[in-house]
Amino acid sequence: MIIPLPVIKNIILAACLFFVSHVVTAQSNSQFWKKSDTLHSKRRNAVYITEAAAATVTLIGLNQLWYANHKRSSFHTINDNSEWLQMDKAGHILSSYYVGKLGMNVLNWAGESKRNQLIYGSTLGFVFLSTVEILDGFSEEWGFSIGDLISNATGSGLLIGQELLWEEQRLQLKYSFHTTHYANERPEILGENFLEQTLEDYNGQTYWLSANIWSFNKESSIPKWLNIAFGYGADGMLSGNKNIYSNSFILPEQNRYRQYYISLDLDLTKIRTRSNLLKTIFSTLNFVKIPAPTIEINSKGRSKFHLFYF
């Protein structure tokens, strides 16, 4: 079974999310993972070699497992900015942000300077995802998307900008998902099982910008772990564009609309605990938006209150 390209991209993201958190939390568990206070040349070289090797293997794998099964073409661009009500673009922003965060964390572990962490680490997401975009440009079925490129740059820019401004990530990107009935109507596009749906069913995905309140006023008595989150989602989508399907028939009418959310959230990394196991769990899960009371306003002009939205 050929895994669709969006799924491969998100699997890569999921792996990166795990290793980002593991690198950070495992530092206290062994001497090897402990951050170097000065430049550790062997570690730095290992990081660069490993990243180059991993990127090369991944790109070759994509070429052989996916692109080789589709017709090639001369390099061309496409305008897919209207598809999926820009939910796919939000996914690119999230992916670029976290892959770049991984790059920064491993260079920080190696004792690299902050300058080099920003130049060679935080840009990792943009460089990698944009390289994949170039491969799209030589595929007849797709094309190089300027919108995707801008989204990649936005994710990396959010990461780099905060490091330059505050030297910390006060605004974090997060993700949540709930199942929808749309996947049953088009499982080949929106996912045949829960795992596939978390990656492919944009109707159930929500992307969040979660702001840590205490970090903006560190003299206050506000709990350090309390965040306020602003989310974006969409609903009613059976295809990228309304009532379009490539296999000679028209889909049922799609009642597509945007959803905007405001909710409370937790920064799990700021919860105090002496347990290394809990620190690892909290850090690993911190990219997921915690279910909480949520206000929804959609593009239909309607509002709704969710006691616990996910």
Side-chain angles (χ1 to χ4, degrees):
M1 176 181 177
I2 299 298
I3 302 176
L5 181 59
V7 177
I8 296 175
K9 290 178 179 178
N10 282 283
I11 289 174
I12 293 170
L13 167 63
C16 289
L17 293 176
F18 173 79
F19 285 113
V20 166
S21 57
H22 184 69
V23 166
V24 173
T25 56
Q27 289 176 357
S28 60
N29 296 337
S30 71
Q31 189 65 30
F32 175 78
W33 287 111
K34 185 177 180 180
K35 176 188 175 301
S36 178
D37 294 330
T38 58
L39 178 62
H40 194 300
S41 298
K42 290 184 178 180
R43 287 186 180 184
R44 179 196 59 187
N45 295 340
V47 167
Y48 288 137
I49 292 172
T50 301
E51 287 180 350
T56 300
V57 170
T58 301
L59 292 172
I60 292 174
L62 283 173
N63 185 65
Q64 296 300 315
L65 294 175
W66 182 251
Y67 293 108
N69 293 281
H70 299 274
K71 292 183 179 180
R72 304 300 177 105
S73 70
S74 58
F75 185 82
H76 63 287
T77 63
I78 59 171
N79 184 351
D80 61 351
N81 293 333
S82 64
E83 292 188 2
W84 301 110
L85 295 179
Q86 295 79 51
M87 287 294 290
D88 60 322
K89 301 297 182 278
H92 272 267
I93 294 172
L94 182 80
S95 300
S96 184
Y97 175 85
Y98 274 107
V99 175
K101 194 173 183 183
L102 167 65
M104 282 192 59
N105 280 327
V106 292
L107 288 180
N108 183 50
W109 164 76
E112 262 288 23
S113 66
K114 191 68 174 182
R115 176 178 177 274
N116 286 346
Q117 288 178 39
L118 291 174
I119 294 175
Y120 303 113
S122 61
T123 58
L124 186 62
F126 175 78
V127 172
F128 176 77
L129 293 176
S130 298
T131 302
V132 174
E133 205 62 46
I134 292 174
L135 294 178
D136 281 353
F138 287 100
S139 178
E140 185 177 285
E141 189 167 343
W142 296 280
F144 184 92
S145 169
I146 301 298
D148 287 353
L149 185 71
I150 293 173
S151 298
N152 297 339
T154 300
S156 296
L158 178 63
L159 176 67
I160 296 170
Q162 292 188 80
E163 291 297 325
L164 292 174
L165 185 61
W166 300 313
E167 296 187 349
E168 63 179 349
Q169 297 296 302
R170 297 182 181 182
L171 305 173
Q172 302 173 62
L173 295 177
K174 294 198 176 186
Y175 168 89
S176 66
F177 175 79
H178 59 271
T179 57
T180 74
H181 64 86
Y182 300 104
N184 295 328
E185 300 181 44
R186 294 202 73 194
E188 75 282 4
I189 298 296
L190 302 178
E192 297 181 353
N193 54 56
F194 179 78
L195 178 59
E196 290 184 0
Q197 290 166 20
T198 62
L199 304 173
E200 298 178 318
D201 186 2
Y202 291 121
N203 299 283
Q205 299 175 8
T206 306
Y207 293 94
W208 301 86
L209 184 67
S210 184
N212 182 253
I213 303 173
W214 172 83
S215 65
F216 288 97
N217 186 7
K218 295 183 178 181
E219 301 301 322
S220 70
S221 58
I222 297 172
K224 293 183 178 181
W225 41 260
L226 182 62
N227 283 21
I228 184 169
F230 304 90
Y232 174 68
D235 199 83
M237 301 178 294
L238 291 173
S239 63
N241 291 304
K242 187 173 183 180
N243 293 337
I244 295 178
Y245 189 43
S246 59
N247 289 349
S248 73
F249 66 90
I250 303 298
L251 291 169
E253 182 177 357
Q254 302 176 60
N255 186 18
R256 302 152 65 91
Y257 61 95
R258 304 175 190 276
Q259 300 160 308
Y260 307 95
Y261 302 94
I262 183 170
S263 179
L264 296 176
D265 188 30
L266 302 180
D267 184 344
L268 298 179
T269 64
K270 286 185 167 58
I271 296 178
R272 297 183 62 180
T273 175
R274 294 183 179 181
S275 170
N276 289 327
L277 174 62
L278 285 179
K279 288 179 181 179
T280 300
I281 293 173
F282 288 161
S283 184
T284 301
L285 297 178
N286 202 45
F287 78 97
V288 177
K289 164 69 172 65
I290 299 298
T294 302
I295 297 174
E296 171 192 341
I297 301 175
N298 59 49
S299 58
K300 294 180 178 181
R302 300 174 183 173
S303 60
K304 183 187 300 185
F305 176 75
H306 304 268
L307 183 58
F308 289 104
Y309 177 83
F310 192 68

